[in-house]
Amino acid sequence: MAGQQFQYDDSGNTFFYFLTSFVGLIVIPATYYLWPRDQNAEQLRLKSLRRVHSRCLWYRLRLMKSQQSIVPTLKKTALMFGWAIFLLLAYKVSKLDREYQEYNPYEVLSLDPGASLPEIKKQYRVLSLKFHPDRGGDEAMFMRIAKAYAALTNEQSRKNWEIYGNPDGPGATSFGIALPAWIVDQKNSMLVLLVYGLAFMVILPVVVGTWWYRSIRYSGDQILINTTQLFMHFMYKTPNMNMKRLAMVLTAAFEFDPRSNKEATIRPTDNIEVPQLIRELGNINVKKKEPPFCYPYSLKARVLVLSHLARMDVSEELEEDQRFVVKKSPALLQEMINVGCQLTMMANSRGGFHAPRLVTIENCMKLTQMIVQGLQESKSPLLQLPHFEEEHLRYCISKKYKVRSLQDLVSLKDSDRRAMLRFLGEEKYDEVMAVLGSFPHISMDTKLQVLDDEDSSNITAGSIVTVTVTLARKPMAEVFEKEQGPSPCPGEEAATAAPAEEAGEASKGKSKQVWQNKNKVAKKMAKSKKKKLTKKKAATPAPVKSKTANGNVAGNEGTPAAKEDDEELSDKGSESDEGEAAKDSPSERDEDSDKQSDTELDEMAGDDEEEWEALQQSIQRRERALLETKSKVTHAAYSLYYPEEKQEWWWLYIADRRDQTLVSMPYHVCTLKDSEEVELKFPAPSKTGNYQYSVILRSDSYLGLDQIKPLKLEVHEAKAVLDNHPQWDIPDTEEEDEEQEDSDGIEESEDDDDND
């Protein structure tokens, strides 16, 4: 029986195969992921943004970085070096001799396949005389010739060669280890052990341990766990947090502590420059001794954030630290919002403590807007635009224009806008309008329903309410175009208003659920009959009464004209009564009721199809949302003082502004490029009645573009659960029949067993 043989590669050929494969597995994926992208595409993108964002800090930093950065060159050099090694190894492997070739005795004897036996013997005789060892020939070659001759002339050897490819029969399976033999040589044993020990007992544990230690310190959003615990402590301690307190908690994050984050720095010059900024800023609670607000890193970060909001100039060294703090702040504020939502859910489910107030969470959102735009809370949103300074605002808030927000500026006529902004030159005015035209204009539509319920429009106590919010984004420039277009005539407006009202009434009528209509067909038919009866009663006119001068009530009988009118009315009434009586014959009434029921059923069937299609579309939409991953690159936000490119993102939530509580947790909309549909779910109140909520949309990039839409909720009492449903009412006769069948089956099985 054939055995197995393991041997190291003495020649080193198989080691080159292994090394080539190993290098290829590294170089090919690294080239795909690390090769610098087309710089021309990035330059073209920046060029397209230049008209609007040329004055933004992040845009100027990006241009400088693209010009000064040598990282793409280093990446290309390293990848090219890797490809050179890979191609060199591949060339080396292609030149290696083939050690494992198929044995062919005809080739050994230099014969054509299928040669006859006399030809084989003749060729063997010639070659044996030439390579015989006694005649000075090659012994190894002579042994190969003899083996080939035996394979072609000996019946058993020929059979072994045809079956196993070897005249000697099946041989031992040989496995080559793709490592050179010098690795296991005794002379090199100490060196090999040293390398193995250094690689697997020192370097690998250190690398894995360092990675693990760093990873467990951060949450899924790359926020330090200690920072999250700090935020939770202070939000639990201060549920109602004003803006000043919020800035103190934000700048106490451990991301700004050099002991926890190596990116944060404390410079020797901070002892001189930071106190100077504190004197310029004024009251920032420097004397507060509550830790960690009194720590140097927290005080420095707070000063840098407040100076950024005040748009103050700082030194070059502090400017670098300020950019670091400002870039980290939006992510930290988002973590504070998440912590506030977690505490709110815990308070709603467990109780025992006060949840963070709505104003605290909204202040986190507002502070994010302020940091991105570099504006204080009390400043005008118009200062987000270029070339606008404090002294220019007096032209806007004058009695003639009364422009205090971006929306007011957009709603102005072009002539008034130009007159108001005459302090700007033509070029600056065009730039301001280009920037304002790039700002987002969001339209928000809401739809209230209870999914997975027979009557989705009926909200019962404790049910899960789903508010589907449809957001559509378009630039402000389109709003300008609409305002500058021709306004319709009053007659046209009236003509278009009437169909709109009719369409609204039709949509209200269709909002009722189909299955609800199905269950109430009989009630509708009964109501229609009642309406007919009321019409009959209304057809007979009642006598008109009037008060006389003395206050007594008198009829119309006193005057001849009144009598004539009564006679005419009585005649008309008698005629109408006769017509109604003729129409109210039993056969005609049945026909009318049948026609009416048929039309109602047709309408319900049409509503059925529409409702079913809408349900299927919503299910497909949810499935697509689960499967597809949308890009978070939406639109570059215009920010004059933010040091990094910021995408337009939004918060969407439902709140009870009267009680200052969250109804649904804020949803961070990060994929709103053109349109987006978001579902907000919350449990309906446990008590019946009318509730007034608000659907709120807040930007995380702009001030003054938030939207609030009222949401009315009418909660009804939940239907009582039927204890004895007709579906489960089984008559006694059926139970007896089933028991009889079971007993018959048992008896038949016993009889079968006896027969066996």
Side-chain angles (χ1 to χ4, degrees):
M1 184 177 177
Q4 295 179 347
Q5 294 180 358
F6 294 89
Q7 59 183 2
Y8 286 91
D9 183 17
D10 294 327
S11 62
N13 292 347
T14 53
F15 178 69
F16 278 108
Y17 281 101
F18 165 75
L19 194 60
T20 305
S21 303
F22 182 75
V23 173
L25 287 174
I26 295 176
V27 170
I28 295 173
T31 304
Y32 179 77
Y33 288 106
L34 299 179
W35 186 265
R37 303 303 177 196
D38 188 8
Q39 296 295 318
N40 294 329
E42 179 65 15
Q43 292 295 331
L44 289 174
R45 190 183 76 88
L46 292 176
K47 188 176 180 180
S48 65
L49 297 174
R50 182 170 58 189
R51 181 170 178 264
V52 174
H53 298 272
S54 59
R55 294 187 177 272
C56 296
L57 175 62
W58 71 265
Y59 187 85
R60 290 184 274 116
L61 292 175
R62 180 69 61 85
L63 288 179
M64 293 171 57
K65 185 178 179 181
S66 61
Q67 294 172 359
Q68 299 175 358
S69 179
I70 60 170
V71 175
T73 306
L74 293 177
K75 286 183 178 180
K76 288 182 179 180
T77 304
L79 291 173
M80 293 297 292
F81 180 72
W83 274 102
I85 295 176
F86 176 71
L87 294 175
L88 181 64
L89 291 172
Y91 176 77
K92 179 71 175 174
V93 167
S94 65
K95 294 297 182 181
L96 294 176
D97 294 332
R98 294 181 60 190
E99 295 183 357
Y100 306 104
Q101 296 181 353
E102 185 180 357
Y103 180 74
N104 191 348
Y106 290 104
E107 290 183 1
V108 176
L109 296 175
S110 301
L111 291 171
D112 295 332
S116 62
L117 186 59
E119 291 176 350
I120 294 172
K121 289 181 179 181
K122 181 181 178 180
Q123 184 68 10
Y124 171 69
R125 191 178 300 110
V126 173
L127 294 175
S128 61
L129 291 174
K130 181 179 179 181
F131 293 101
H132 200 283
D134 295 342
R135 293 176 178 269
D138 188 0
E139 184 178 359
M141 187 62 187
F142 179 76
M143 294 299 295
R144 291 180 64 190
I145 292 169
K147 184 178 179 180
Y149 176 73
L152 295 176
T153 56
N154 189 304
E155 184 179 354
Q156 184 63 36
S157 299
R158 188 179 183 89
K159 185 177 180 181
N160 289 336
W161 172 65
E162 291 175 352
I163 297 174
Y164 303 108
N166 189 358
D168 299 330
T173 304
S174 177
F175 295 94
I177 300 176
L179 292 174
W182 60 265
I183 289 182
V184 293
D185 193 354
Q186 190 174 2
K187 297 178 183 179
N188 304 324
S189 59
M190 293 302 296
L191 179 61
V192 173
L193 286 175
L194 180 63
V195 172
Y196 269 82
L198 186 66
F200 293 101
M201 299 181 66
V202 178
I203 297 176
L204 186 62
V206 168
V207 171
V208 174
T210 304
W211 168 80
W212 177 250
Y213 174 72
R214 289 180 179 177
S215 62
I216 61 174
R217 295 171 61 232
Y218 291 89
S219 64
D221 297 327
Q222 296 303 306
I223 304 296
L224 288 169
I225 300 295
N226 293 336
T227 299
T228 304
Q229 294 174 351
L230 176 77
F231 290 164
M232 186 166 289
H233 168 73
F234 282 106
M235 294 196 83
Y236 175 81
K237 182 180 178 181
T238 314
N240 194 0
M241 200 178 296
N242 58 20
M243 195 66 73
K244 186 179 290 186
R245 176 78 173 181
L246 188 63
M248 295 173 66
V249 175
L250 168 67
T251 52
F254 287 93
E255 273 77 3
F256 307 136
D257 188 357
R259 296 171 297 179
S260 302
N261 189 4
K262 293 182 179 179
E263 297 180 18
T265 55
I266 295 292
R267 307 177 190 275
T269 56
D270 293 345
N271 296 327
I272 301 173
E273 295 178 344
V274 172
Q276 184 179 354
L277 286 175
I278 291 175
R279 286 192 295 271
E280 293 178 7
L281 287 170
N283 183 21
I284 59 169
N285 293 336
V286 179
K287 297 181 180 180
K288 197 172 186 64
K289 300 301 180 183
E290 183 181 4
F293 305 138
C294 58
Y295 294 162
Y297 82 89
S298 176
L299 183 61
K300 178 184 176 181
R302 193 189 324 158
V303 169
L304 293 177
V305 168
L306 295 178
S307 61
H308 168 72
L309 298 180
R311 296 186 175 182
M312 295 171 55
D313 294 330
V314 296
S315 64
E316 292 183 1
E317 293 180 349
L318 280 181
E319 187 177 8
E320 184 180 351
D321 298 340
Q322 187 184 55
R323 290 173 185 172
F324 166 73
V325 173
V326 169
K327 283 194 293 187
K328 285 282 184 182
S329 296
L332 294 172
L333 287 167
Q334 177 61 37
E335 185 68 16
M336 292 183 72
I337 294 172
N338 295 338
V339 168
C341 295
Q342 293 174 10
L343 290 174
T344 302
M345 289 188 291
M346 290 171 61
N348 293 338
S349 60
R350 301 179 186 177
F353 64 93
H354 295 290
R357 302 288 289 174
L358 177 64
V359 66
T360 302
I361 295 175
E362 289 184 340
N363 281 340
C364 292
M365 300 176 183
K366 192 170 185 179
L367 185 57
T368 305
Q369 301 171 356
M370 293 161 54
I371 288 176
V372 172
Q373 293 297 331
L375 275 178
Q376 294 175 340
E377 184 180 10
S378 59
K379 299 298 181 181
S380 171
L382 297 174
L383 295 176
Q384 299 174 100
L385 299 172
H387 309 298
F388 267 77
E389 301 295 339
E390 289 281 350
E391 59 269 16
H392 297 150
L393 295 178
R394 59 190 179 90
Y395 298 107
C396 302
I397 62 176
S398 61
K399 294 182 179 180
K400 183 178 180 181
Y401 300 109
K402 297 181 181 180
V403 173
R404 299 181 181 274
S405 64
L406 297 173
Q407 289 82 356
D408 295 340
L409 184 60
V410 171
S411 61
L412 278 181
K413 295 181 180 179
D414 185 61
S415 57
D416 294 340
R417 195 185 299 117
R418 285 182 179 274
M420 185 186 71
L421 302 179
R422 61 185 178 276
F423 58 87
L424 300 173
E426 189 68 25
E427 185 178 350
K428 290 183 179 180
Y429 177 81
D430 292 340
E431 184 180 351
V432 168
M433 296 313 299
V435 171
L436 185 60
S438 68
F439 278 30
H441 180 270
I442 308 297
S443 60
M444 181 170 60
D445 295 326
T446 59
K447 182 181 179 183
L448 188 68
Q449 56 185 343
V450 180
L451 298 177
D452 303 328
D453 199 353
E454 291 183 355
D455 188 1
S456 61
S457 62
N458 185 27
I459 300 172
T460 57
S463 61
I464 302 300
V465 182
T466 301
V467 179
T468 305
V469 184
T470 304
L471 304 174
R473 183 202 184 275
K474 57 184 178 181
M476 288 280 192
E478 295 187 11
V479 180
F480 292 151
E481 293 174 1
K482 287 183 179 179
E483 289 182 355
Q484 292 173 4
S487 59
C489 299
E492 293 177 356
E493 291 180 357
T496 55
E501 292 177 359
E502 293 175 1
E505 292 175 359
S507 62
K508 288 180 182 178
K510 288 185 179 179
S511 63
K512 293 185 178 180
Q513 300 303 324
V514 177
W515 41 87
Q516 181 185 7
N517 294 339
K518 268 189 169 182
N519 295 332
K520 297 181 179 180
V521 174
K523 292 182 180 179
K524 284 187 176 181
M525 293 175 66
K527 286 180 181 179
S528 64
K529 290 182 179 179
K530 287 181 180 179
K531 285 180 181 179
K532 286 184 178 181
L533 294 174
T534 54
K535 285 180 180 178
K536 291 180 193 175
K537 292 179 181 178
T540 58
V544 180
K545 297 180 180 180
S546 61
K547 285 187 178 182
T548 58
N550 57 6
N552 297 327
V553 178
N556 292 332
E557 298 171 356
T559 59
K563 289 182 180 180
E564 291 178 359
D565 292 340
D566 288 341
E567 289 176 359
E568 290 177 0
L569 287 172
S570 62
D571 293 340
K572 292 179 181 178
S574 61
E575 290 176 1
S576 61
D577 289 341
E578 290 175 0
E580 290 291 334
K583 287 182 181 178
D584 287 340
S585 61
S587 59
E588 292 185 1
R589 282 200 300 268
D590 292 341
E591 289 177 2
D592 292 341
S593 61
D594 291 341
K595 289 179 181 178
Q596 187 174 0
S597 60
D598 291 340
T599 54
E600 288 177 354
L601 290 174
D602 292 339
E603 291 176 359
M604 291 172 189
D607 292 344
D608 257 335
E609 294 177 359
E610 292 178 3
E611 198 69 33
W612 176 253
E613 289 177 1
L615 182 61
Q616 291 298 316
Q617 289 176 1
S618 64
I619 293 173
Q620 292 174 3
R621 193 163 50 246
R622 273 182 271 175
E623 290 177 351
R624 283 197 302 269
L626 290 173
L627 294 176
E628 67 181 359
T629 54
K630 294 184 178 180
S631 173
K632 291 187 177 182
V633 178
T634 55
H635 299 272
Y638 184 85
S639 52
L640 288 169
Y641 296 93
Y642 194 70
E644 193 175 43
E645 184 177 2
K646 176 75 175 63
Q647 301 297 321
E648 289 180 7
W649 292 347
W650 305 82
W651 287 292
L652 184 65
Y653 58 98
I654 302 173
D656 188 347
R657 301 187 69 83
R658 188 185 64 179
D659 295 340
Q660 284 292 303
T661 56
L662 279 173
V663 177
S664 74
M665 298 302 108
Y667 181 84
H668 206 188
V669 184
C670 303
T671 57
L672 178 57
K673 199 166 186 179
D674 296 317
S675 63
E676 187 76 13
E677 191 173 274
V678 181
E679 289 185 353
L680 301 176
K681 297 186 178 184
F682 63 93
S686 57
K687 296 181 179 179
T688 59
N690 295 325
Y691 295 85
Q692 185 73 30
Y693 294 152
S694 299
V695 181
I696 305 172
L697 178 71
R698 289 190 181 274
S699 172
D700 71 342
S701 305
Y702 296 105
L703 287 162
L705 296 183
D706 302 337
Q707 293 189 27
I708 300 176
K709 194 167 186 177
L711 181 69
K712 294 181 180 180
L713 202 69
E714 186 178 356
V715 181
H716 303 281
E717 189 174 354
K719 296 179 181 179
V721 180
L722 297 176
D723 295 333
N724 298 322
H725 197 275
Q727 182 179 356
W728 308 110
D729 290 343
I730 303 174
D732 296 337
T733 55
E734 293 184 6
E735 293 181 356
E736 293 174 359
D737 294 341
E738 290 177 359
E739 292 176 359
Q740 184 65 31
E741 290 177 359
D742 294 338
S743 61
D744 293 343
I746 295 171
E747 291 177 359
E748 289 177 359
S749 60
E750 291 177 354
D751 294 340
D752 294 339
D753 293 337
D754 294 339
N755 294 333
D756 293 340

